[in-house]
Amino acid sequence: MPTQQTKPTQQSRQAKQAQWRRRSEIPLMLAAVLYLAAYSLQVTAEPDPAEARLLEGVIWGVWALFLADYLVSLILAPERGRWFVRHLHELVILLLPMLRPLRLLRLVPLLHVLNRSGGDALRGHILLYVLSAMTVLGYAGALAVLDVEQDAPDANILTLPDALWWALTTVTSVGYGDYYPVTGTGRIVAAGLMLGGIGVLSAVTAAFASWLVENVATVRAADEQAAAAQGAESEARVREQLRTVSLQIDTLAQQLAHGAHSGQGTGGAGGIGPGAIGGAGGIGSGGHAGRE
């Protein structure tokens, strides 16, 4: 009985968790956009103290939403211990901004939203997810490198357009070399952007290969099905023809048997007739000769 009661409870929790993720996906996406916008203003603009406090409140408010989403997902998980272990990286992502007061780490919670959406992405939507991830990754990398490079001596990435161009050439593994980070933190950002770009491009290639293989398999299955249907139709036609020929042979055999039987009856009647006539003739002749 406890096992039977536990199973429906786990199924109910799993259904509630899936429902929560569906309902919170769009709000969290919008919150991530707001988060990125607030961080962009912190990096590219020079806000006054009041504006700086407002932006700081927006950033931490969105971070609190991300943390609430993590806690709700943990509470609704069918097996909380296993879910906690499997999603431990999400907890690390959420706690990193609190461990060090660097503005660079404030971009880390965006990985929570990307990981959350990417985990639920079907292959049919993988291309949209990958393009979105590449866009967010490139923009976040540009902001991060601009944040650490714009005040560094001998730096050449000083404006947001320069940082965006550098991020584009880095995430696509082109690397013209006209812009490059000179600080250690900037180079760490560059390394992360390179790895992320390779991963994104690999995902695009894998999605295309999967789509191609599936289409080839679908066409092959359709051809095999059509060939099987055609073979079954031909076999049915041959069977029908054999049945017709068999019926015709049976009918012909019956007709031949009936004709043979009729021929034997007719031959017997003819043999009796002449003999009787001959006998009658002989008796008549003999009687006539005796009288003479």
Coordinates of all heavy atoms in Angstrom, one line a residue, residues 69-113:
D69 N 12.5 30.3 -8.6 CA 12.2 29.2 -9.6 C 13.0 27.9 -9.3 O 12.4 26.8 -9.4 CB 12.6 29.7 -11.0 CG 12.5 28.6 -12.1 OD1 11.4 28.2 -12.3 OD2 13.6 28.2 -12.6
Y70 N 14.2 28.1 -8.8 CA 15.0 26.9 -8.5 C 14.4 26.2 -7.3 O 14.3 24.9 -7.2 CB 16.5 27.3 -8.2 CG 17.3 26.2 -7.6 CD1 17.9 25.3 -8.5 CD2 17.5 26.0 -6.2 CE1 18.7 24.2 -8.0 CE2 18.3 25.0 -5.7 CZ 18.9 24.1 -6.6 OH 19.6 23.1 -6.1
L71 N 14.0 27.0 -6.3 CA 13.4 26.4 -5.0 C 12.1 25.7 -5.3 O 11.8 24.6 -4.8 CB 13.3 27.5 -4.0 CG 14.6 28.0 -3.4 CD1 14.3 29.2 -2.4 CD2 15.4 27.0 -2.8
V72 N 11.2 26.3 -6.1 CA 10.0 25.7 -6.5 C 10.1 24.4 -7.2 O 9.5 23.4 -7.0 CB 9.1 26.7 -7.3 CG1 7.8 26.0 -7.8 CG2 8.7 27.9 -6.4
S73 N 11.1 24.4 -8.2 CA 11.4 23.2 -8.9 C 11.9 22.1 -8.0 O 11.5 20.9 -8.2 CB 12.4 23.5 -10.0 OG 11.9 24.4 -11.0
L74 N 12.7 22.5 -7.0 CA 13.2 21.5 -6.1 C 12.1 20.9 -5.2 O 12.0 19.7 -5.0 CB 14.3 22.1 -5.2 CG 14.8 21.2 -4.1 CD1 15.5 20.0 -4.7 CD2 15.8 22.0 -3.2
I75 N 11.2 21.8 -4.8 CA 10.1 21.3 -3.9 C 9.1 20.4 -4.7 O 8.6 19.4 -4.1 CB 9.3 22.5 -3.3 CG1 10.2 23.3 -2.4 CG2 8.0 22.1 -2.6 CD1 9.6 24.6 -1.9
L76 N 8.9 20.7 -6.0 CA 7.9 19.9 -6.8 C 8.6 18.7 -7.4 O 7.8 17.9 -8.1 CB 7.3 20.8 -7.9 CG 6.5 22.0 -7.4 CD1 6.0 22.8 -8.6 CD2 5.3 21.5 -6.5
A77 N 9.8 18.5 -7.2 CA 10.5 17.4 -7.9 C 10.0 16.1 -7.3 O 9.8 16.0 -6.0 CB 12.0 17.5 -7.7
P78 N 9.8 15.0 -8.1 CA 9.3 13.8 -7.6 C 10.3 13.1 -6.6 O 9.9 12.6 -5.6 CB 9.1 12.9 -8.8 CG 9.0 13.9 -9.9 CD 9.8 15.1 -9.6
E79 N 11.6 13.2 -6.9 CA 12.7 12.7 -6.1 C 13.6 13.8 -5.8 O 14.5 14.1 -6.6 CB 13.4 11.5 -6.7 CG 12.4 10.3 -7.0 CD 13.1 9.1 -7.6 OE1 14.4 9.2 -7.7 OE2 12.5 8.2 -8.0
R80 N 13.5 14.5 -4.7 CA 14.2 15.8 -4.5 C 15.7 15.5 -4.4 O 16.5 16.4 -4.9 CB 13.7 16.4 -3.2 CG 12.2 16.8 -3.3 CD 11.7 17.3 -2.0 NE 10.3 17.7 -2.0 CZ 9.5 18.0 -1.0 NH1 10.1 18.0 0.2 NH2 8.2 18.3 -1.2
G81 N 16.1 14.5 -3.8 CA 17.6 14.2 -3.6 C 18.2 14.0 -5.0 O 19.3 14.6 -5.3
R82 N 17.6 13.2 -5.8 CA 18.2 13.0 -7.2 C 18.1 14.3 -8.0 O 19.1 14.6 -8.7 CB 17.4 11.9 -7.9 CG 17.9 11.5 -9.2 CD 17.2 10.4 -9.9 NE 17.3 9.1 -9.1 CZ 16.7 8.0 -9.4 NH1 16.0 7.9 -10.5 NH2 16.9 6.9 -8.7
W83 N 17.0 15.0 -7.9 CA 16.9 16.3 -8.7 C 18.0 17.3 -8.2 O 18.6 18.0 -9.0 CB 15.5 16.8 -8.5 CG 15.2 18.0 -9.4 CD1 14.6 17.9 -10.7 CD2 15.5 19.4 -9.2 NE1 14.5 19.2 -11.2 CE2 15.1 20.1 -10.4 CE3 16.1 20.1 -8.2 CZ2 15.2 21.5 -10.5 CZ3 16.2 21.5 -8.3 CH2 15.8 22.1 -9.4
F84 N 18.2 17.3 -6.9 CA 19.2 18.2 -6.3 C 20.6 17.9 -6.9 O 21.3 18.8 -7.3 CB 19.2 18.2 -4.8 CG 20.2 19.0 -4.2 CD1 20.1 20.4 -4.0 CD2 21.4 18.5 -3.7 CE1 21.0 21.2 -3.4 CE2 22.4 19.3 -3.1 CZ 22.2 20.6 -3.0
V85 N 20.9 16.6 -6.9 CA 22.3 16.2 -7.4 C 22.4 16.5 -8.9 O 23.4 17.0 -9.4 CB 22.5 14.7 -7.1 CG1 23.8 14.3 -7.8 CG2 22.5 14.5 -5.6
R86 N 21.3 16.2 -9.7 CA 21.4 16.4 -11.1 C 21.4 17.9 -11.5 O 21.9 18.3 -12.5 CB 20.2 15.8 -11.8 CG 20.3 14.2 -11.8 CD 19.1 13.6 -12.5 NE 19.2 12.2 -12.6 CZ 18.3 11.4 -13.2 NH1 17.3 12.0 -13.8 NH2 18.5 10.1 -13.2
H87 N 20.9 18.8 -10.6 CA 20.8 20.2 -10.9 C 21.7 21.0 -10.0 O 21.4 22.2 -9.7 CB 19.4 20.7 -10.8 CG 18.5 20.1 -11.9 ND1 18.0 18.8 -11.8 CD2 18.0 20.6 -13.1 CE1 17.2 18.5 -12.8 NE2 17.2 19.6 -13.6
L88 N 22.8 20.4 -9.5 CA 23.7 21.1 -8.6 C 24.3 22.2 -9.2 O 24.6 23.3 -8.6 CB 24.7 20.1 -8.0 CG 25.6 20.6 -6.9 CD1 24.7 20.9 -5.7 CD2 26.6 19.5 -6.5
H89 N 24.6 22.1 -10.5 CA 25.3 23.2 -11.2 C 24.4 24.5 -11.3 O 24.9 25.6 -11.3 CB 25.6 22.8 -12.7 CG 24.4 22.4 -13.5 ND1 23.7 21.2 -13.3 CD2 23.7 23.1 -14.4 CE1 22.7 21.1 -14.1 NE2 22.7 22.3 -14.8
E90 N 23.1 24.3 -11.3 CA 22.2 25.4 -11.2 C 22.3 26.2 -9.9 O 22.3 27.4 -9.9 CB 20.7 25.0 -11.5 CG 20.5 24.5 -12.9 CD 19.0 24.3 -13.1 OE1 18.2 24.8 -12.3 OE2 18.7 23.6 -14.1
L91 N 22.5 25.5 -8.8 CA 22.6 26.1 -7.5 C 24.0 26.9 -7.5 O 24.0 28.0 -7.0 CB 22.6 25.0 -6.4 CG 22.8 25.6 -5.0 CD1 21.7 26.5 -4.6 CD2 22.8 24.4 -4.0
V92 N 25.0 26.3 -8.1 CA 26.3 27.0 -8.1 C 26.2 28.3 -8.9 O 26.7 29.3 -8.6 CB 27.4 26.0 -8.7 CG1 28.7 26.8 -8.9 CG2 27.6 24.8 -7.8
I93 N 25.5 28.2 -10.1 CA 25.3 29.3 -10.9 C 24.6 30.4 -10.2 O 24.9 31.6 -10.3 CB 24.5 28.9 -12.2 CG1 25.4 28.1 -13.1 CG2 24.0 30.1 -12.9 CD1 24.7 27.5 -14.3
L94 N 23.6 30.1 -9.4 CA 22.8 31.1 -8.7 C 23.6 31.7 -7.5 O 23.4 32.8 -7.2 CB 21.5 30.5 -8.2 CG 20.5 30.1 -9.2 CD1 19.3 29.3 -8.6 CD2 19.9 31.4 -9.9
L95 N 24.4 30.9 -6.9 CA 25.2 31.4 -5.7 C 26.5 32.1 -6.1 O 27.0 32.8 -5.2 CB 25.5 30.2 -4.8 CG 24.3 29.5 -4.1 CD1 24.7 28.4 -3.2 CD2 23.4 30.6 -3.4
L96 N 27.0 32.0 -7.3 CA 28.2 32.6 -7.6 C 28.2 34.1 -7.5 O 29.2 34.7 -7.0 CB 28.6 32.2 -9.1 CG 29.5 31.0 -9.3 CD1 29.8 30.8 -10.7 CD2 30.9 31.2 -8.5
P97 N 27.2 34.8 -7.9 CA 27.2 36.3 -7.7 C 27.3 36.7 -6.3 O 27.7 37.9 -6.0 CB 25.8 36.7 -8.4 CG 25.5 35.7 -9.3 CD 26.0 34.4 -8.7
M98 N 26.9 35.9 -5.3 CA 27.0 36.2 -3.9 C 28.3 36.0 -3.3 O 28.7 36.5 -2.3 CB 25.9 35.5 -3.1 CG 24.5 35.7 -3.6 SD 23.3 34.9 -2.6 CE 23.6 35.6 -1.0
L99 N 29.1 35.1 -4.0 CA 30.4 34.8 -3.4 C 31.4 35.8 -3.6 O 32.3 36.0 -2.8 CB 30.9 33.4 -4.1 CG 30.0 32.2 -3.9 CD1 30.6 31.0 -4.6 CD2 29.8 32.0 -2.4
R100 N 31.4 36.5 -4.8 CA 32.3 37.6 -5.1 C 31.6 38.8 -5.6 O 30.7 38.7 -6.4 CB 33.4 37.1 -6.1 CG 34.3 36.0 -5.6 CD 35.3 35.6 -6.6 NE 36.2 36.7 -6.9 CZ 37.1 36.7 -7.9 NH1 37.2 35.7 -8.7 NH2 37.8 37.8 -8.1
P101 N 31.9 40.0 -5.2 CA 31.2 41.2 -5.6 C 31.6 41.7 -6.9 O 31.7 42.9 -7.1 CB 31.5 42.2 -4.4 CG 32.9 41.8 -4.0 CD 32.9 40.3 -4.1
L102 N 32.0 40.9 -7.9 CA 32.4 41.3 -9.2 C 31.1 41.5 -10.1 O 30.3 40.6 -10.1 CB 33.3 40.3 -9.8 CG 34.7 40.2 -9.2 CD1 35.5 39.2 -9.9 CD2 35.4 41.6 -9.2
R103 N 31.1 42.6 -10.8 CA 29.9 42.8 -11.7 C 29.9 41.7 -12.8 O 28.9 41.4 -13.4 CB 30.0 44.2 -12.3 CG 29.7 45.3 -11.3 CD 29.3 46.5 -12.0 NE 30.3 47.0 -13.0 CZ 30.2 48.1 -13.7 NH1 29.2 48.8 -13.6 NH2 31.2 48.4 -14.5
L104 N 31.1 41.2 -13.1 CA 31.2 40.2 -14.2 C 30.4 38.9 -13.8 O 29.7 38.3 -14.7 CB 32.7 39.8 -14.4 CG 33.0 38.7 -15.4 CD1 32.5 39.1 -16.8 CD2 34.5 38.3 -15.4
L105 N 30.3 38.6 -12.6 CA 29.6 37.4 -12.1 C 28.1 37.6 -12.2 O 27.4 36.6 -12.0 CB 30.0 37.0 -10.7 CG 31.5 36.5 -10.6 CD1 31.8 36.1 -9.1 CD2 31.7 35.2 -11.4
R106 N 27.7 38.8 -12.4 CA 26.2 39.0 -12.4 C 25.6 38.5 -13.7 O 24.4 38.4 -13.8 CB 25.9 40.5 -12.3 CG 26.3 41.1 -10.9 CD 26.1 42.5 -10.8 NE 26.5 43.0 -9.5 CZ 26.5 44.3 -9.2 NH1 26.0 45.2 -10.0 NH2 26.9 44.7 -8.0
L107 N 26.4 38.2 -14.7 CA 25.9 37.6 -15.9 C 25.7 36.1 -15.8 O 25.0 35.5 -16.6 CB 26.9 37.8 -17.1 CG 26.8 39.2 -17.7 CD1 27.9 39.4 -18.7 CD2 25.5 39.5 -18.3
V108 N 26.3 35.5 -14.7 CA 26.2 34.0 -14.6 C 24.8 33.5 -14.4 O 24.5 32.5 -15.0 CB 27.1 33.6 -13.4 CG1 26.9 32.1 -13.1 CG2 28.6 33.9 -13.7
P109 N 23.9 34.2 -13.7 CA 22.5 33.6 -13.6 C 21.8 33.5 -14.9 O 20.8 32.8 -15.0 CB 21.8 34.7 -12.7 CG 22.9 35.2 -11.8 CD 24.1 35.3 -12.7
L110 N 22.2 34.2 -15.9 CA 21.6 34.0 -17.2 C 21.8 32.6 -17.7 O 20.9 32.1 -18.5 CB 22.2 35.0 -18.3 CG 21.8 36.5 -18.1 CD1 22.6 37.3 -19.1 CD2 20.3 36.7 -18.2
L111 N 22.8 31.9 -17.3 CA 23.0 30.5 -17.7 C 21.9 29.7 -17.1 O 21.6 28.6 -17.7 CB 24.4 30.0 -17.2 CG 25.6 30.8 -17.8 CD1 26.9 30.2 -17.1 CD2 25.7 30.6 -19.3
H112 N 21.3 30.1 -16.0 CA 20.2 29.3 -15.5 C 19.0 29.3 -16.4 O 18.4 28.2 -16.6 CB 19.8 29.9 -14.1 CG 18.5 29.4 -13.6 ND1 18.4 28.1 -13.1 CD2 17.3 29.9 -13.4 CE1 17.2 27.9 -12.6 NE2 16.5 28.9 -12.8
V113 N 18.7 30.4 -17.0 CA 17.6 30.5 -18.0 C 17.9 29.7 -19.2 O 17.1 28.9 -19.8 CB 17.3 31.9 -18.3 CG1 16.1 32.0 -19.3 CG2 16.9 32.7 -17.0

